[in-house]
Amino acid sequence: MAQVRRLFLRILPIATAVGVFWGISVAQGQPISVRGDRWLAVSAVSGNVELRTYLGQQRPARLGDRLDHVGDMITTGSGASAQLNVDLATGSVIMSENSQLRVQALSITASGGRVTELLVSRGQVRVRVRPLTNPGTRLEIHTPAGVSGVRGTDFGVAVQPTGQAGTATLSGRVAASAQGQTVIIGADFQSSTYPGEPPTPPEPLRNDPTLSIEALTVRGRIVQIVGQTDPLNLLEVDNQLQSLSRAGRFDLSLPLPRDRRIEATVTTPLGTQQKYELLVP
């Protein structure tokens, strides 16, 4: 334990951010027309946030921008974040750094229900949705592993480079579906969905951004880092999202920095984030 503590020059707690991940997108390649006046409005921007329209035009996102077409996309860079408000105060979506969100469907049903489908291909988002009274209204988050639908809740999703999605529910209930199976994730529970598999059974919420370093060694100009974090978390090392095993383990080989310091960030599906600075011996 003492050796591990010496590896950390500084541990900087970060205020709760946001993280939301949802299952796989099954409707890609089938554009859905927007019916009615529907949109997501950019209500907060911090750092490098890019907006790309369905026509392929790209520019920095600004307050008041609207994503109102299928195919509109917003991307956050390193250290950046953004918040989107769903029309008529249905809810909000907060994106953490290095995340990407695309509008997959915005429509109004014959009964007046408002359908919102968003694809989160990477990174983390947190979604807050008010109770929905119209049975035809639904909000879904799609990922490369499955899809999650809500009707009034506070939850988060984190999507790893492998497409694995971790969903955590703070309040309300979330229905996570993949491979023809659905699990209900209630308040204070979490679940994972791996590409090609159904969601795992819900387990108690951990929301723990702890990073454990087991080995930090140098071979020539290469640093090897071996460690573990909660398998639902996102791990960034030097601003690059890393893949985790199903047990949350990682084994990385990186170029040795000149100052022998390596930055790492752990983000939970709910967006709780902690930064670490590792000192290479």
Side-chain angles (χ1 to χ4, degrees), residues 221 256-263 277-280:
R221 301 300 301 174
L256 176 64
R258 289 186 177 181
D259 61 2
R260 306 182 78 87
R261 288 178 169 85
I262 297 175
E263 294 182 355
E277 190 171 71
L278 311 183
L279 177 63
V280 181

Side-chain angles (χ1 to χ4, degrees), residues 19 40 46 53 61 70 97 132 160 182 209 215 232 270 280-281:
L40 284 85
S46 176
T53 72
V70 171
E97 61 182 325
L132 307 177
Q160 297 188 18
T182 299
L232 270 70
L270 283 175
V280 181

Side-chain angles (χ1 to χ4, degrees), residues 188-213:
D188 296 324
F189 277 81
Q190 62 185 30
S191 171
S192 292
T193 306
Y194 296 89
E197 300 180 21
T200 62
E203 56 184 349
L205 176 67
R206 291 185 291 271
N207 195 36
D208 181 6
T210 299
L211 177 66
S212 174
I213 300 298

Side-chain angles (χ1 to χ4, degrees), residues 40-274:
L40 284 85
V42 178
S43 58
V45 172
S46 176
N48 180 25
V49 180
E50 294 290 323
L51 177 68
R52 183 180 179 87
T53 72
Y54 72 105
L55 295 174
Q57 301 165 335
Q58 186 166 336
R59 61 170 174 79
R62 297 187 291 262
L63 293 181
D65 281 341
R66 287 188 175 186
L67 286 72
D68 53 9
H69 288 81
V70 171
D72 286 348
M73 181 185 303
I74 190 166
T75 304
T76 57
S78 177
S81 62
Q83 177 169 322
L84 307 174
N85 289 344
V86 184
D87 56 27
L88 299 186
T90 299
S92 63
V93 178
I94 304 173
M95 304 174 61
S96 66
E97 61 182 325
N98 297 321
S99 301
Q100 187 173 85
L101 178 149
R102 177 182 180 272
V103 175
Q104 190 158 281
L106 288 173
S107 62
I108 299 177
T109 68
S111 64
R114 307 175 84 82
V115 176
T116 305
E117 296 180 12
L118 306 175
L119 170 64
V120 178
S121 55
R122 69 170 186 264
Q124 182 261 352
V125 297
R126 183 161 179 173
V127 180
R128 293 184 173 97
V129 181
R130 65 173 174 78
L132 307 177
T133 56
N134 189 312
T137 295
R138 57 185 171 89
L139 188 151
E140 295 179 349
I141 301 294
H142 294 244
T143 73
V147 58
S148 297
V150 298
R151 294 189 56 80
T153 187
D154 182 346
F155 69 95
V157 174
V159 182
Q160 297 188 18
T162 58
Q164 173 194 347
T167 302
T169 303
L170 191 60
S171 65
R173 287 154 51 96
V174 174
S177 302
Q179 303 301 308
Q181 298 186 36
T182 299
V183 301
I184 302 300
I185 308 171
D188 296 324
F189 277 81
Q190 62 185 30
S191 171
S192 292
T193 306
Y194 296 89
E197 300 180 21
T200 62
E203 56 184 349
L205 176 67
R206 291 185 291 271
N207 195 36
D208 181 6
T210 299
L211 177 66
S212 174
I213 300 298
E214 300 171 6
L216 188 62
T217 56
V218 179
R219 293 183 177 87
R221 301 300 301 174
I222 299 298
V223 180
Q224 182 181 20
I225 308 173
V226 179
Q228 187 173 18
T229 187
D230 190 289
L232 270 70
N233 291 344
L234 297 181
L235 171 65
E236 291 183 23
V237 179
D238 282 347
N239 295 319
Q240 294 295 318
L241 201 58
Q242 307 295 327
S243 297
L244 301 174
S245 74
R246 296 197 178 205
R249 298 185 58 81
F250 57 91
D251 186 340
L252 309 176
S253 294
L254 307 172
L256 176 64
R258 289 186 177 181
D259 61 2
R260 306 182 78 87
R261 288 178 169 85
I262 297 175
E263 294 182 355
T265 302
V266 176
T267 306
T268 72
L270 283 175
T272 299
Q273 190 176 83
Q274 188 160 323

